[in-house]
Amino acid sequence: EAGVAQSPRYKIIEKRQSVAFWCNPISGHATLYWYQQILGQGPKLLIQFQNNGVVDDSQLPKDRFSAERLKGVDSTLKIQPAKLEDSAVYLCASSLVMTSGRAQQFFGPGTRLTVL
Amino acid sequence: TQLLEQSPQFLSIQEGENLTVYCNSSSVFSSLQWYRQEPGEGPVLLVTVVTGGEVKKLKRLTFQFGDARKDSSLHITAAQPGDTGLYLCAGEAGAGSYQLTFGKGTKLSVIP
């Protein structure tokens, strides 16, 4: 079974530029998450989708970050304009609800963003 | 805001030694998960503990959930170089929320 795919794997941009990340979740997984992981810290949830609807985007800096999941499958996360503090690994995860009623999240390899 | 404190932040040990990593919070979680993350990869789930006092074993790894479901520990027996990585604990606030709050992680290095 293919895992969560993300691209690009690495991106270097200058501050004030824009950047977009792409995520393809595991087939059949209705829930998709974007996390930001700053060096030395654990992942922080930015946004959670259920199919193509937003469940929670309370920690997404909406003045510069946006995300969409138009057809309920692939998702893109955009930053415009980027700031130095946006340098981080951006992780995408998808989950499936198990018979236990709990959901297991599967993570992609992440996109490492460096803002100069 | 629910916070998870992990300790120690860094751990460097010799092959064959034992170690324990702690994950503490003032909040109650419906479940707690442990992940391992290697450089350039996403976290991979090791175990989920749900019941207060629960103990789960995964080969040389033993996971325990506190009776009050606020804390957890990970114990590794006879550490191997292959155990090297970042260990993250993550708590699920409410059953059915499917949202996780992560700790900052413990970076483990096992020296051959």
Side-chain angles (χ1 to χ4, degrees), chain A residues 35-37 41-45 91 107, chain B residues 37 43 88 101-103:
Chain A
Y35 289 87
Q36 180 192 58
Q37 186 174 23
Q41 297 186 20
K44 182 185 93 171
L45 179 68
L91 294 164
F107 286 82
Chain B
Q37 184 177 22
L88 295 157
T101 299
F102 280 85

Side-chain angles (χ1 to χ4, degrees), chain B residues 72-86:
Chain B
S72 181
S73 63
L74 157 61
H75 182 79
I76 301 179
T77 304
Q80 304 294 312
D83 295 328
T84 294
L86 179 68

Side-chain angles (χ1 to χ4, degrees), chain B residues 3-105:
Chain B
L3 294 174
L4 279 167
E5 304 268 353
Q6 277 191 248
S7 62
Q9 194 173 352
F10 300 96
L11 195 53
S12 181
I13 62 171
Q14 295 289 328
E15 181 177 357
E17 291 185 346
N18 302 332
L19 66 114
T20 302
V21 175
Y22 299 93
C23 178
N24 296 299
S25 176
S26 58
S27 303
V28 175
F29 291 98
S30 65
S31 72
L32 203 135
Q33 302 178 4
W34 284 92
Y35 290 80
R36 185 168 136 219
Q37 184 177 22
E38 300 198 39
E41 298 181 14
V44 175
L45 180 66
L46 296 173
V47 78
T48 300
V49 285
V50 177
T51 307
E54 182 176 4
V55 177
K56 281 192 174 178
K57 292 194 174 185
L58 187 65
K59 296 183 180 178
R60 294 175 293 100
L61 279 60
T62 302
F63 305 85
Q64 186 161 7
F65 202 11
D67 291 341
R69 305 207 323 271
K70 294 182 179 181
D71 54 82
S72 181
S73 63
L74 157 61
H75 182 79
I76 301 179
T77 304
Q80 304 294 312
D83 295 328
T84 294
L86 179 68
Y87 288 83
L88 295 157
C89 66
E92 182 183 8
S97 74
Y98 309 137
Q99 287 188 8
L100 298 175
T101 299
F102 280 85
K104 289 188 175 183

